[in-house]
Amino acid sequence: MTSPIAPSLGNSGHLIMCRMPFAIRLDLRLLLSSLLLFLATSHIGHAAVILDPAVARVDISQSGEIYEDSSGQLSIDDLLQPTFQRSFRPLENGDLMLDGSTQTYWLLFRFRNTHNETLRRILELRPAHLGEVTVYAHRSGTPAEERATVFPPQDMLRPQRIYRLNLPAGSATNIYVRIDKHADIRVSVKLFSDIAFISESSQRDIGNFFLLGVLSTVSIYCLVAFLVYREPLFANLCIFGVLVMGSQLMAWGYLGQPRGMLPPWDSPVMIISAIGILLTEVIFALGFPVYPKQRPGHWPNILRGTLFLLVAALPFSIITDAHYSGILLSILVPLTAASTLFAGLNGYFVSYSRLLLFYLLGKSLTLVIYLLAQLSYLLGVLDIYDMNALLSLAAVIVALAHATLLITRSRKRWRMQHEDAQRVAVVDEVNRAKSEVLARITHDIRTPISAMLGVTELLQETQLTASQEDYLRSLQRSSHELLQLLEEAGQAARFSDSDIDLNSQLIALPELVSDALSSFRNMAAERDLELISDLSNTLPMQLLGDLSRLRQLLIHSLNSAFEHAEGGFILLKIGPASPRPGHLQVEVSHRGSNFTGDERQALQRPKVEKKDSAMSTRFAIIARLVSLMGGQISLRNSASRDVHTLCMTLQLGVISNKQPSPEATDLLNNKRLLVVDSNRTFCEVVNKQCSPWGMGVFSATNEQAALAIMRNQRLVNAPVDFVLIDHRQSDNGLLLARRVKEEFANADHQPSVLLLAHANISYSREELQAAGVQRVLSKPLGNIALRSALLGESRVAERGHDIDQYSSDALNYHSLRCLIAEDNPSNALVLSRMLKSLGITVQHAENGQQALNFFIRDHYDLVILDVEMPVMDGIEAARQIRQFEQEEERERTPIFGLTANALDEQRDSYLSAGMDLHLVKPIRLWELAESIQRWTGYQHQKD
């Protein structure tokens, strides 16, 4: 029995074997056969690859031999020596997983072309970022001393490790591959025909560009969506797509040298991109969010901690080498995946949101693809190119899933906003209808009340007995209580939860405050309350905000102060709350009863409830308005002075940060003003108002102190220029004015005496002249009114004014001609009697069209139009009167609108129609007289 591959031993050997015993001969033969077989297979290795022209693609990774050169000093000439040929060993599974600690690897592939034509093949080494590769070809049968031919790599549009081989007919060729400067990496070697290589490369490029196209489309859409919806997560997803596309382009070699999508990398750019992709994942989980908002637990902190670790890993990945960066990334990837996945899983089981379920499905799918790709690559089932394609596919799935989630949520939000807008529109329509009904009811009730109160006003001018005066006062008090009930009902109906939008318009704060205070002038006069406004001189010149809301806030606040005030004063103080532009501090103080518990609770609960009382409703509206204007609200009490303050901060816009400069106040510089008033707060406010004008202000609380100050100032040659006397001082202020006139009658410098009185206080011309009063100012006294009065008196003094010549705001004293349009006979009669009692000639019209005809044919100094009339209402009549004046170039005639509608919403429409003043029924006689005096200069002189 002989071995089929053992060499023959010859005849002598055969004779020796024949003489031995049979068992010994058998053992020797087996031993010799095994030894010869071992020696033969130690250098045979793999058989040569027989090339077949019909086979276009061959994976030869397991058909070659490998040699590990630890020193890296061997050359191709050394390996061609017979001694080194036996050093190669056959490739087996796992042998092409190169170890970075080995300096150089040599691969040997044997090819045999048994056909009669030269075969052209392309040798591709994967991956392209393998390291430094040199390929040699050596023809079998040539002397070992003959050096092998070096094959240069072929240039392609995309960097690849390919080499073109020409294998002659009937030849046996050995291909040697030297690999230097490599990392821990798996290598695959494939042999292609030209057509097969182009086909596979094209398919790979098409797949890559398809994935890149999907990512670029998602990124562009997210960028546009971010610009439209201002949703930060769309920008985050756009950054995710850009990072993934950049990583793919660098990994495949479309940008620079190919790097692959698995570490280690020779540049920190890839690991920075990878950490950036993980950052966008965590940011999306935080911003979406994937944890329940109601019961988030520790998941927000866990995600923030993961985010912090990723941010901290960025500088570490830059300063450390590629090996440790790869280890760091292998820790961060599962950490990020686990934190986001478990947070989303917990959130779903708490909220059962379908969006979170979709997020979990997409997350799970990408995680399965990632794990399968990693496992297949480690087991050698996939090469590096297939691995890159699967990772790119996972990134595309993440981008599509996140984009779908954001689009779904955005549409859901848009749908909810649309539904809310429709609901608000319906609520607004209902509120508008309610307001119209309320306006109609208010008008219908106020109209007869107006007639009743007007009659009582006229009856008070007649001779009445004591009992009749009591009856009249009871009638007036009951009528005012009924009007107060109407006002409270209107306040509750005018403000609703749908009132959340603020307009932005220019606000002149002094005019707004003066307008708000004027509506309480009558109430303050009847209750003998001092209504004081204190505007800081450091406020910006121009403010932006909702003028109607701000006026509504001031009116509600002053209303609450009047409800609590028991005497003394009510102070409205407005100044800067902080150095921030437009940050205002509004304080409304009163002396009287403290705020109730319900009112305090209403301030903390800025929502109007049906069960709220009138006062708590008002405070809830105040709190809601302050909240809408970005402010805060609080209550402050001063037990020592019995003063209670409602404090509010508001944030308004500012056009100019420049501080207002007083206009034409040079005449007031170095002038001295004496304020005689028992209210120290009012004196302090006047001092603050006059100081920026360069004036010196003195205050006195009684007659003796006032005269003493004036005497002292005359002795130091700094006499007082103006004396402002409250009408409540000693015999309605006239006694003190008379004392001042008598004492300084012969002085070189005589002061101008100004009398401050409520609007319902009237004096005859003879009384004022006898007391030496030059001007009567109405309470409440604002900054603009005070400055105008002081400037007017200064100009008169410069022209040599006679102190005995009384002057007031009246411009003329001839009888006015007034046109009134009122369809209600009772109200028309009352209004006509009131005007005639003031010495005014009256022309009555029953509707707006008749009033327009009268106005066209004749001249009138004043027009009073009822807003709601048949044929033509007051608004249309005012509009046509203004148009007629413009066409005929007539001087503008003051027009008063008269209405029983007390809602502020109608105010702007009346004024925009051309009316100068909006009067609410019922009108008091002295209120009507003051309005006429303010707009025409006419003042009735008592006989």
Side-chain angles (χ1 to χ4, degrees):
M1 184 176 182
T2 59
S3 172
I5 62 171
S8 176
L9 297 177
N11 295 330
S12 59
H14 179 71
L15 292 175
I16 295 173
M17 294 291 291
C18 291
R19 295 175 181 175
M20 293 183 179
F22 179 77
I24 296 176
R25 282 184 292 167
L26 182 60
D27 292 340
L28 288 175
R29 285 180 179 181
L30 290 174
L31 179 62
L32 184 60
S33 298
S34 300
L35 179 61
L36 292 176
L37 181 63
F38 173 77
L39 293 175
T41 57
S42 65
H43 67 276
I44 288 177
H46 277 294
V49 178
I50 305 301
L51 300 178
D52 186 356
V55 179
R57 178 182 182 275
V58 180
D59 187 353
I60 60 174
S61 300
Q62 308 301 326
S63 302
E65 304 172 38
I66 188 170
Y67 175 73
E68 300 177 5
D69 181 10
S70 301
S71 64
Q73 301 297 323
L74 296 179
S75 64
I76 185 64
D77 298 329
D78 298 328
L79 292 180
L80 291 178
Q81 299 299 322
T83 55
F84 280 99
Q85 289 296 311
R86 298 176 180 177
S87 301
F88 283 89
R89 58 181 176 82
L91 285 171
E92 298 176 356
N93 288 337
D95 278 349
L96 280 188
M97 179 63 76
L98 304 186
D99 188 354
S101 61
T102 301
Q103 184 69 24
T104 304
Y105 280 94
W106 287 89
L107 303 180
L108 173 59
F109 301 96
R110 305 175 191 274
F111 301 104
R112 185 178 296 278
N113 183 7
T114 59
H115 296 271
N116 297 327
E117 59 181 6
T118 299
L119 295 179
R120 294 179 176 85
R121 290 292 183 266
I122 293 177
L123 181 71
E124 182 185 21
L125 298 175
R126 301 181 180 182
H129 59 287
L130 185 57
E132 293 185 0
V133 179
T134 309
V135 178
Y136 305 90
H138 185 265
R139 191 77 54 82
S140 298
T142 58
E145 299 82 12
E146 183 176 338
R147 186 179 179 85
T149 304
V150 179
F151 279 89
Q154 299 297 309
D155 293 332
M156 298 291 291
L157 294 176
R158 176 167 53 87
Q160 292 175 298
R161 295 286 186 178
I162 63 171
Y163 302 86
R164 186 174 297 278
L165 304 180
N166 292 324
L167 303 174
S171 66
T173 305
N174 295 338
I175 302 297
Y176 293 87
V177 180
R178 174 173 178 158
I179 304 175
D180 294 299
K181 297 182 179 179
H182 57 84
D184 294 339
I185 196 168
R186 180 179 293 279
V187 182
S188 64
V189 186
K190 296 184 179 181
L191 201 65
F192 297 91
S193 66
D194 291 348
I195 296 176
F197 178 77
I198 294 173
S199 175
E200 182 165 317
S201 297
S202 300
Q203 292 176 3
R204 186 188 311 153
D205 290 338
I206 290 173
N208 292 338
F209 284 114
F210 173 76
L211 297 177
L212 290 174
V214 173
L215 282 174
S216 61
T217 302
V218 173
S219 300
I220 294 174
Y221 174 83
C222 291
L223 179 61
V224 174
F226 168 71
L227 297 176
V228 173
Y229 298 110
R230 298 297 178 182
E231 170 62 64
L233 288 183
F234 278 114
N236 177 76
L237 188 54
C238 179
I239 295 173
F240 171 84
V242 171
L243 290 174
V244 172
M245 287 189 293
S247 301
Q248 284 186 317
L249 292 174
M250 290 185 291
W252 291 98
Y254 297 108
L255 290 178
Q257 295 299 319
R259 295 179 174 87
M261 294 193 71
L262 290 179
W265 295 294
D266 56 354
S267 172
V269 177
M270 286 295 293
I271 193 168
I272 291 175
S273 299
I275 295 177
I277 293 172
L278 297 178
L279 279 171
T280 57
E281 278 283 288
V282 179
I283 292 174
F284 183 88
L286 278 169
F288 191 69
V290 299
Y291 51 84
K293 290 184 177 181
Q294 296 80 8
R295 292 179 291 170
H298 298 290
W299 290 109
N301 295 330
I302 292 175
L303 293 177
R304 293 189 188 98
T306 305
L307 191 67
F308 175 78
L309 289 177
L310 292 173
V311 173
L314 282 174
F316 179 80
S317 63
I318 296 175
I319 62 177
T320 189
D321 58 20
H323 176 71
Y324 292 106
S325 297
I327 295 176
L328 177 65
L329 189 62
S330 64
I331 296 174
L332 293 177
V333 170
L335 178 64
T336 303
S339 60
T340 54
L341 184 62
F342 285 112
L345 192 62
N346 174 76
Y348 173 73
F349 284 121
V350 172
S351 62
Y352 293 99
S353 170
R354 281 188 285 183
L355 290 180
L356 283 183
L357 178 61
F358 186 81
Y359 173 82
L360 288 173
L361 292 177
K363 197 76 174 176
S364 301
L365 180 59
T366 56
L367 187 59
V368 168
I369 292 175
Y370 175 79
L371 294 176
L372 289 178
Q374 289 279 12
L375 183 61
S376 301
Y377 177 73
L378 293 176
L379 295 177
V381 178
L382 298 178
D383 65 4
I384 190 66
Y385 288 175
D386 298 329
M387 176 72 176
N388 288 355
L390 286 177
L391 293 180
S392 301
L393 178 62
V396 169
I397 292 175
V398 170
L400 290 175
H402 287 185
T404 304
L405 287 172
L406 290 179
I407 293 171
T408 304
R409 190 177 73 168
S410 298
R411 288 186 175 180
K412 184 178 179 181
R413 287 181 175 177
W414 178 85
R415 185 168 58 253
M416 292 176 62
Q417 292 175 357
H418 181 67
E419 292 175 355
D420 290 342
Q422 288 183 332
R423 181 182 61 83
V424 170
V426 172
V427 172
D428 288 343
E429 186 66 22
V430 172
N431 288 336
R432 187 186 63 80
K434 288 165 55 179
S435 298
E436 290 179 356
V437 172
L438 180 63
R440 171 58 57 188
I441 294 175
T442 303
H443 181 274
D444 293 342
I445 297 178
R446 281 179 177 267
T447 298
I449 294 179
S450 177
M452 292 165 55
L453 289 175
V455 172
T456 60
E457 292 275 350
L458 295 176
L459 286 175
Q460 283 181 331
E461 301 295 324
T462 64
Q463 296 293 330
L464 300 174
T465 65
S467 299
Q468 290 172 335
E469 290 181 354
D470 291 338
Y471 297 155
L472 280 180
R473 282 193 293 269
S474 298
L475 180 60
Q476 288 177 334
R477 182 169 59 253
S478 299
S479 300
H480 288 307
E481 289 176 357
L482 181 57
L483 289 175
Q484 183 65 25
L485 291 176
L486 288 176
E487 178 67 18
E488 296 295 347
Q491 295 291 351
R494 288 164 54 197
F495 198 89
S496 63
D497 289 339
S498 61
D499 268 337
I500 58 176
D501 295 330
L502 294 177
N503 298 323
S504 182
Q505 56 193 121
L506 192 63
I507 296 177
L509 199 57
E511 296 179 5
L512 174 62
V513 171
S514 177
D515 184 32
L517 293 179
S518 64
S519 60
F520 294 93
R521 182 173 297 173
N522 300 334
M523 192 181 300
E526 291 176 354
R527 298 179 56 178
D528 198 21
L529 287 173
E530 195 78 32
L531 188 54
I532 307 171
S533 64
D534 182 6
L535 270 69
S536 174
N537 295 305
T538 60
L539 291 174
M541 295 179 62
Q542 294 175 317
L543 294 171
L544 283 178
D546 194 318
L547 183 61
S548 176
R549 296 290 188 204
L550 191 55
R551 182 192 299 117
Q552 191 176 11
L553 176 63
L554 294 179
I555 290 175
H556 280 299
S557 302
L558 291 170
N559 255 325
S560 67
F562 272 97
E563 290 289 340
H564 288 281
E566 297 175 353
F569 65 92
I570 293 176
L571 172 64
L572 172 61
K573 183 178 181 181
I574 303 179
S578 69
R580 188 166 70 245
H583 195 205
L584 302 185
Q585 174 86 19
V586 181
E587 297 181 359
V588 180
S589 304
H590 70 272
R591 176 169 290 173
S593 61
N594 197 356
F595 301 103
T596 65
D598 291 341
E599 293 166 351
R600 294 176 183 273
Q601 186 178 3
L603 292 181
Q604 304 300 325
R605 177 179 46 83
K607 184 176 181 180
V608 180
E609 302 287 350
K610 293 183 179 179
K611 62 181 180 180
D612 289 340
S613 64
M615 285 298 295
S616 59
T617 298
R618 178 181 294 131
F619 272 71
I621 294 175
I622 292 174
R624 184 66 182 277
L625 289 171
V626 171
S627 176
L628 287 176
M629 297 182 191
Q632 296 178 346
I633 190 168
S634 62
L635 299 176
R636 188 173 64 238
N637 299 314
S638 176
S640 59
R641 299 177 56 192
D642 194 26
V643 175
H644 311 282
T645 305
L646 176 64
C647 305
M648 298 167 286
T649 61
L650 307 175
Q651 182 60 58
L652 302 179
V654 179
I655 294 181
S656 173
N657 288 330
K658 296 181 180 180
Q659 304 302 327
S661 57
E663 300 179 0
T665 56
D666 294 339
L667 292 176
L668 302 180
N669 192 27
N670 295 324
K671 294 294 180 68
R672 286 160 291 277
L673 169 66
L674 172 62
V675 182
V676 186
D677 198 313
S678 58
N679 191 314
R680 296 185 180 274
T681 302
F682 175 76
C683 297
E684 294 173 359
V685 170
V686 173
N687 189 5
K688 289 173 58 178
Q689 291 176 346
C690 296
S691 295
W693 306 334
M695 297 184 65
V697 180
F698 307 93
S699 61
T701 59
N702 53 59
E703 178 181 344
Q704 293 76 15
L707 293 174
I709 292 173
M710 296 183 67
R711 293 164 185 162
N712 292 335
Q713 290 301 121
R714 187 173 61 175
L715 290 176
V716 298
N717 201 22
V720 173
D721 300 287
F722 309 101
V723 181
L724 181 61
I725 304 174
D726 183 62
H727 75 97
R728 292 173 296 184
Q729 295 296 128
S730 60
D731 192 18
N732 291 334
L734 295 180
L735 179 60
L736 176 58
R738 192 177 296 110
R739 290 281 305 274
V740 171
K741 177 183 179 181
E742 294 173 355
E743 184 162 342
F744 295 91
N746 299 323
D748 296 334
H749 184 83
Q750 298 180 10
S752 298
V753 179
L754 311 177
L755 186 64
L756 183 63
H758 282 299
N760 60 346
I761 304 299
S762 60
Y763 300 95
S764 66
R765 179 182 180 84
E766 292 74 13
E767 289 177 319
L768 296 174
Q769 282 184 333
V773 176
Q774 277 76 43
R775 189 178 295 257
V776 178
L777 303 179
S778 297
K779 293 183 178 183
L781 181 62
N783 184 292
I784 298 176
L786 177 61
R787 185 178 62 189
S788 299
L790 296 178
L791 286 173
E793 293 303 315
S794 298
R795 294 189 183 99
V796 170
E798 283 187 345
R799 294 195 297 266
H801 173 66
D802 185 1
I803 195 65
D804 292 330
Q805 178 69 33
Y806 167 75
S807 66
S808 70
D809 293 331
L811 302 178
N812 51 58
Y813 302 103
H814 64 82
S815 178
L816 261 68
R817 301 185 72 245
C818 178
L819 172 64
I820 65 172
E822 172 62 72
D823 61 316
N824 186 281
S826 300
N827 283 321
L829 177 61
V830 171
L831 183 59
S832 299
R833 293 286 181 89
M834 284 184 174
L835 292 172
K836 290 178 180 179
S837 68
L838 296 176
I840 298 176
T841 303
V842 179
Q843 175 67 53
H844 175 235
E846 295 182 353
N847 55 65
Q849 183 63 56
Q850 188 177 5
L852 178 62
N853 296 335
F854 283 147
F855 187 85
I856 293 175
R857 292 196 301 264
D858 205 346
H859 175 79
Y860 297 94
D861 301 299
L862 176 65
V863 178
I864 300 178
L865 300 174
D866 186 31
V867 172
E868 297 186 11
M869 293 183 294
V871 183
M872 180 185 291
D873 60 20
I875 296 178
E876 182 61 26
R879 188 178 292 111
Q880 294 199 22
I881 288 175
R882 293 305 183 205
Q883 183 178 358
F884 174 76
E885 289 178 338
Q886 185 177 4
E887 293 174 353
E888 297 296 325
E889 296 183 355
R890 275 197 187 186
E891 186 178 355
R892 184 182 177 93
T893 303
I895 300 178
F896 293 173
L898 186 62
T899 177
N901 187 357
L903 300 182
D904 288 341
E905 285 77 1
Q906 305 296 330
R907 171 193 175 95
D908 294 336
S909 63
Y910 300 154
L911 299 181
S912 61
M915 294 182 179
D916 297 295
L917 187 63
H918 171 215
L919 297 175
V920 180
K921 299 177 182 179
I923 302 176
R924 297 171 179 84
L925 178 60
W926 55 271
E927 180 185 1
L928 179 62
E930 182 195 12
S931 300
I932 294 174
Q933 178 185 355
R934 181 149 45 103
W935 284 96
T936 66
Y938 174 83
Q939 181 175 357
H940 175 60
Q941 301 301 314
K942 293 184 179 180
D943 296 332

